[in-house]
Amino acid sequence: MNTLKAEFQTINGTVGSNIEIVGFYNHQVGGHAPFLVAAGGKVCKPLIAQEYWFYTTLEQNRPDLLSFTPRVYGSFEVNQRKLHEWTKKVTMAELCNSVDDAPDSPDSTDENSHSWKEEMMDRMERNLSISADLEPNMLHKYMVIEDLGRAYEKPCVMDIKMGTRQYGDFATPEKIKRQVFKTESTTSKHLGIRLCGYKLYCRKTKDVIEVDKYEHRKLTTDTIVDSLYTFFCNGSKLRTSVIQQFIFKLEKLLVLIEANTALRD
């Protein structure tokens, strides 16, 4: 097994023992960069400062939201050249081995259903390859979080983008333009929600089905219902008990958000 070791730092800033990266995270269904997985089943996500600050201050600032988020353990940095050398040893098959034999999704076309993952991996390899010689000592930062799917043999995962505004306060004009276009051209404009990818297990056929963000961008306010139905159906029946649990948690979250006057409208 190809492993990558880095110095781990807890959320309190204490430097602990090394963390051992053992591969890519197979259940990722969205995002711009690959997640890594560490020994012990922890997920390593590219660190965004504002997001990391939110997670690490949650217990102090909003403990009532802790039950809605994964646990955060800390962070680590890895040298550019070291990361590049490691990624070259890890094959694309490792990233997609959980869906290599997956059938065509009911939401997909004849296009390669792995195009998003291949594009993401190609972009990572290309960027690392270009900058490994130019900036070999540049550091890549990752946050280490709980793997919520680890307890499941066949986890079903969905990535959802919430809100009608999808750019930050300090976004560049170019990024604002891109994000506004995505909002205007997808279900985000009218529903405030956009599916960015999902992976599900069909108990009836024993198949794993995966749909990426490109297919989900084609959804309309009418067809998004069909996609949600597919996700919550095990192949034989709609899992209404699971849906009820989701609704219950979402209603609790809504109450907490509406009660927080500090949040942006």
Side-chain angles (χ1 to χ4, degrees):
M1 177 184 293
N2 296 308
T3 60
L4 174 67
K5 293 184 179 181
E7 191 174 68
F8 178 71
Q9 183 173 326
T10 68
I11 59 175
N12 298 321
T14 304
V15 176
S17 58
N18 284 347
I19 188 170
E20 187 176 32
I21 310 305
V22 296
F24 290 105
Y25 186 59
N26 287 329
H27 303 308
Q28 183 179 355
V29 296
H32 300 287
F35 294 178
L36 311 178
V37 61
K42 297 179 178 65
V43 177
C44 309
K45 183 179 186 292
L47 190 150
I48 299 172
Q50 188 174 16
E51 180 184 22
Y52 189 64
W53 174 86
F54 170 80
Y55 277 119
T56 55
T57 60
L58 201 58
E59 186 170 2
Q60 177 182 350
N61 296 337
R62 290 302 305 270
D64 52 346
L65 295 179
L66 286 173
S67 62
F68 298 94
T69 64
R71 181 180 176 186
V72 177
Y73 300 101
S75 64
F76 68 89
E77 298 176 336
V78 60
N79 177 279
Q80 172 115 290
R81 187 185 297 277
K82 190 176 179 181
L83 180 61
H84 183 227
E85 291 174 351
W86 177 78
T87 55
K88 288 193 296 184
K89 298 176 183 178
V90 182
T91 64
M92 183 65 193
E94 181 178 357
L95 182 65
C96 293
N97 64 3
S98 61
V99 291
D100 278 343
D101 299 322
D104 290 337
S105 162
D107 293 329
S108 67
T109 64
D110 292 334
E111 297 175 359
N112 187 347
S113 62
H114 297 155
S115 59
W116 161 74
K117 283 187 175 178
E118 291 176 345
E119 176 186 310
M120 180 175 62
M121 289 297 294
D122 288 344
R123 182 170 57 246
M124 179 184 187
E125 170 60 26
R126 183 169 59 253
N127 291 341
L128 286 173
S129 180
I130 292 173
S131 52
D133 292 328
L134 297 176
E135 300 178 281
N137 296 319
M138 187 176 77
L139 296 174
H140 291 262
K141 299 181 179 181
Y142 288 85
M143 57 186 290
V144 183
I145 62 177
E146 176 186 7
D147 180 5
L148 297 177
R150 194 183 183 204
Y152 301 92
E153 184 178 347
K154 299 287 185 180
C156 298
V157 184
M158 177 181 285
D159 188 339
I160 300 176
K161 182 81 72 174
M162 299 294 295
T164 55
R165 170 181 163 176
Q166 298 175 358
Y167 56 86
D169 293 335
F170 305 105
T172 63
E174 293 78 12
K175 184 167 185 178
I176 292 176
K177 184 178 180 180
R178 291 196 307 270
Q179 296 300 328
V180 169
F181 173 78
K182 289 180 183 178
T183 299
E184 294 286 327
S185 59
T186 63
T187 55
S188 294
K189 178 180 180 180
H190 297 291
L191 300 180
I193 179 176
R194 182 170 81 242
L195 306 190
C196 298
Y198 69 51
K199 175 180 179 178
L200 62 91
Y201 174 69
C202 179
R203 182 178 297 178
K204 182 177 181 180
T205 62
K206 310 298 183 185
D207 291 321
V208 174
I209 298 173
E210 185 167 283
V211 183
D212 65 24
K213 63 181 180 181
Y214 298 116
E215 288 300 321
H216 278 146
R217 284 181 188 173
K218 301 174 185 177
L219 296 176
T220 66
T221 53
D222 294 321
T223 58
I224 192 175
V225 176
D226 298 328
S227 193
L228 288 169
Y229 182 95
T230 300
F231 181 78
F232 285 106
C233 181
N234 64 10
S236 299
K237 66 177 182 179
L238 187 65
R239 302 184 65 190
T240 54
S241 61
V242 176
I243 296 175
Q244 289 170 353
Q245 292 178 46
F246 267 85
I247 293 174
F248 176 72
K249 292 203 71 172
L250 286 172
E251 288 176 339
K252 287 180 60 179
L253 181 59
L254 178 62
V255 170
L256 293 174
I257 291 176
E258 288 181 335
N260 189 342
T261 57
L263 293 176
R264 182 180 65 206
D265 293 333

